[in-house]
Amino acid sequence: MTAITTLPDLAVRALGGSVVAASDESFADKENLINPWAPAFSPETFGPKGQLYDGWETARRRSGGHDWALIRLGLPGVVRGVVIDTAWFKGNYPPRASVEACAVDGYPSDLSGADWVEIVPESPLKGDTAHAFPVRVERLFTHVRLNMFPDGGIARLRVHGEVVPDPRLLAGLTVDLAALENGARVTECSDMFYSSPDNMLFPGLARNQAEGWETARRRDGGHDWAVVRLAAPGVVRLAEIDTANLKFNAPGAAALHGRDAAGTWHPLLPRTGLLPDTRHRFRLTSPEITHVRLDIHPDGGIARLRLLGDLTPDGARALDARWTALKH
């Protein structure tokens, strides 16, 4: 895992990404590009179009040109790195690829007039390899276009970056200050042996244990914890700690503390017992805070953490300023 790949994948289907168009998908579907799981392969498994691949594969070009796929990011943001993975494509991978990006408002069906920016120049690829490319373009993007030259198969496209929420969707509303889609992130944690703590901040309900945060079993008498940087400074009114699907590995208890702009930690929820496979909801009295620390005793898994509350005036202004600066 690199520094790039620890950032959220803005294109993954689990965060709302969609492959909206492609030049060709004769052998394998374009939608596979953004599947959340690692590419799978079963040799000598043939369908009516040939060997089945968990990726995107186009026909062999005979008339020039190149193939492309257009992806709408699930979450708008600043792209910090792209991974083009040719896993399992060994004799049918494209020798080169590039990536472009653009930013548009709303839900356009036609992007022909968009201002496309090259974020990964045309670069050589190898077969059965995950290629990581850093991106140094300080702009907000909502869509990317993957180009492969001239044809072939690519298993996955990962677009890692920082979420930049649209402040028009948050201003004046009660919002989830811990939601990844609103710009929150886990900045520190004691352990991520089984899964990333950022999983707690994903939208929707966790469908299984792997879609939450789970730590290894502690044997030292301590406890595990994670620090969440809120989407913006705010006041938390209600916390939800969800142990869904964690029937034999839920923590025995949890506590919450909030950190203010001066760096002082304040108790929000005292150490409180948790039940397995349960959504727990707690009303809170909170000062204006920028971070929350979730302590779990002694270890285990949390499916989702929700922190519902209000942006402070300074928090709302900060979101608006960042959105405006990165759109231009």
Side-chain angles (χ1 to χ4, degrees), residues 30-52:
K30 63 185 186 298
E31 285 80 9
N32 291 332
L33 279 171
I34 58 172
N35 285 337
W37 54 84
F41 184 73
S42 180
E44 299 183 7
T45 304
F46 291 91
K49 297 181 180 180
Q51 170 67 45
L52 301 180

Side-chain angles (χ1 to χ4, degrees), residues 67-80:
D67 286 316
W68 53 266
L70 180 61
I71 295 95
R72 183 186 66 238
L73 301 180
L75 302 175
V78 178
V79 179
R80 300 301 186 191

Side-chain angles (χ1 to χ4, degrees), residues 4-249:
I4 288 175
T5 57
T6 60
L7 293 170
D9 178 3
L10 306 178
V12 73
R13 186 174 303 283
L15 290 176
S18 176
V19 185
V20 297
S23 57
D24 182 274
E25 49 183 332
S26 295
F27 284 114
D29 295 340
K30 63 185 186 298
E31 285 80 9
N32 291 332
L33 279 171
I34 58 172
N35 285 337
W37 54 84
F41 184 73
S42 180
E44 299 183 7
T45 304
F46 291 91
K49 297 181 180 180
Q51 170 67 45
L52 301 180
Y53 281 94
D54 182 11
W56 168 49
E57 187 182 6
T58 69
R60 300 186 187 218
R61 281 188 167 263
R62 306 302 190 196
S63 57
H66 71 276
D67 286 316
W68 53 266
L70 180 61
I71 295 95
R72 183 186 66 238
L73 301 180
L75 302 175
V78 178
V79 179
R80 300 301 186 191
V82 169
V83 177
I84 300 175
D85 189 354
T86 58
W88 306 109
F89 290 101
K90 300 178 180 180
N92 49 353
Y93 63 92
R96 303 179 312 283
S98 70
V99 181
E100 301 165 282
C102 72
V104 293
D105 279 330
Y107 306 94
S109 57
D110 182 6
L111 295 175
S112 58
D115 177 20
W116 290 97
V117 177
E118 186 176 72
I119 60 173
V120 176
E122 188 172 330
S123 304
L125 300 182
K126 298 178 181 179
D128 196 25
T129 302
H131 309 77
F133 301 98
V135 175
R136 297 180 177 88
V137 181
E138 199 71 18
R139 284 181 56 177
L140 173 77
F141 294 120
T142 61
H143 294 71
V144 297
R145 182 164 59 202
L146 171 63
N147 302 303
M148 61 178 174
F149 304 93
D151 54 48
I154 293 175
R156 294 289 187 272
L157 177 71
R158 303 299 189 200
V159 183
H160 296 282
E162 300 168 8
V163 178
V164 181
D166 186 341
R168 296 168 295 184
L169 303 178
L170 305 180
L173 301 176
T174 296
V175 298
D176 183 358
L177 296 169
L180 188 67
E181 63 185 346
N182 292 336
R185 279 295 313 280
V186 173
T187 58
E188 302 176 74
C189 72
S190 59
D191 182 275
M192 51 188 298
F193 185 85
Y194 287 109
S195 49
S196 169
D198 268 343
N199 289 355
M200 296 187 296
L201 315 184
F202 269 49
L205 301 176
R207 295 171 298 177
N208 53 54
Q209 291 186 24
E211 292 191 352
W213 169 47
E214 186 180 359
T215 71
R217 301 189 188 206
R218 293 191 74 100
R219 309 298 190 190
D220 59 3
H223 72 275
D224 286 315
W225 52 268
V227 175
V228 179
R229 185 196 67 218
L230 301 182
V235 176
V236 179
R237 306 294 187 187
L238 184 141
E240 181 177 296
I241 302 174
D242 186 1
T243 60
N245 306 303
L246 297 150
K247 299 182 178 180
F248 307 105
N249 47 357

